[in-house]
Amino acid sequence: MRSDSTSIDVPESSAAAKGKAPLIPAPRAEKAGYKKGLAIFDFILRLGAVICTLVAAATMGTSDETLPFFTQFFQFEASYDDLPTFTFFVIAMAIVGGYLVLSLPFSVITIIHPNAAGPRRLLLILDTVALTLSTAGASSAAAIVYLAHNGNANTNWLAICQQFGDFCQKSVVLWWLLSLVFLSS
């Protein structure tokens, strides 16, 4: 038994002639111009939010006013720690301000690497938590500021802003600072 073999000549492909073809294609250079611009805008907004939250916490934390009543020895004092909602507000704004300061390096990473998805997702999740905390603190403080300005006849809560003018003015300034924080978040 004799075996006859037939050979067929197959020309080599251009990929085999140059080397092996890669299994994973080379990454294409994506345009990251708008992502980098958004990251820079995010960084600027974070800086503004840091300033607003820390100023709001410091303004409320240092606001107090003493009102002499009948004599110098009998006085009323208004301070942020008289009401638990203002204390909660100061603590919440300090926490949010600290978070925003600690998030600045991650924001810089998104500027340097605009296509990185991990830092963006982390910032999105933690920004949502910070926004929730600042909203809770601001809404509780806003409710008390409203009562201080207008009072409530049903519960015999008198408006105290006629007596404590400086304290109430600082709380109104604080409300405007919070509006800026919410706009920048």
Side-chain angles (χ1 to χ4, degrees):
M1 265 187 78
R2 197 173 134 191
S3 78
D4 288 322
S5 66
T6 310
S7 67
I8 301 174
D9 289 329
V10 177
E12 293 186 25
S13 68
S14 62
K18 294 179 185 175
K20 294 211 173 201
L23 295 175
I24 301 173
R28 291 182 284 157
E30 294 182 23
K31 293 184 179 180
Y34 75 94
K35 288 184 181 180
K36 192 168 192 170
L38 284 175
I40 291 170
F41 187 64
D42 174 63
F43 184 77
I44 292 169
L45 286 179
R46 280 182 195 282
L47 286 177
V50 165
I51 292 168
C52 288
T53 54
L54 294 181
V55 166
T59 300
M60 183 53 78
T62 59
S63 65
D64 58 347
E65 186 176 354
T66 303
L67 180 70
F69 195 54
F70 292 116
T71 66
Q72 241 178 333
F73 301 109
F74 188 63
Q75 299 176 347
F76 288 119
E77 183 179 341
S79 179
Y80 85 95
D81 56 353
D82 292 337
L83 297 166
T85 56
F86 285 152
T87 305
F88 171 65
F89 171 76
V90 170
I91 292 170
M93 287 299 115
I95 289 171
V96 170
Y99 157 71
L100 288 170
V101 168
L102 293 175
S103 72
L104 287 175
F106 290 102
S107 186
V108 170
I109 288 172
T110 61
I111 293 172
I112 296 171
H113 303 289
N115 292 325
R120 287 185 188 271
R121 286 187 188 130
L122 177 70
L123 287 175
L124 178 69
I125 292 168
L126 294 178
D127 284 350
T128 305
V129 172
L131 180 65
T132 304
L133 182 62
S134 63
T135 302
S139 61
S140 66
I144 295 300
V145 168
Y146 177 80
L147 285 175
H149 277 282
N150 299 326
N152 188 344
N154 294 335
T155 59
N156 291 328
W157 184 301
L158 300 175
I160 63 167
C161 282
Q162 288 109 9
Q163 290 84 18
F164 296 101
D166 289 341
F167 183 76
C168 289
Q169 285 177 353
K170 284 185 180 180
S171 64
V172 169
V173 169
L174 173 79
W175 183 81
W176 284 105
L177 283 174
L178 290 175
S179 299
L180 289 175
V181 169
F182 292 141
L183 288 176
S184 65
S185 293

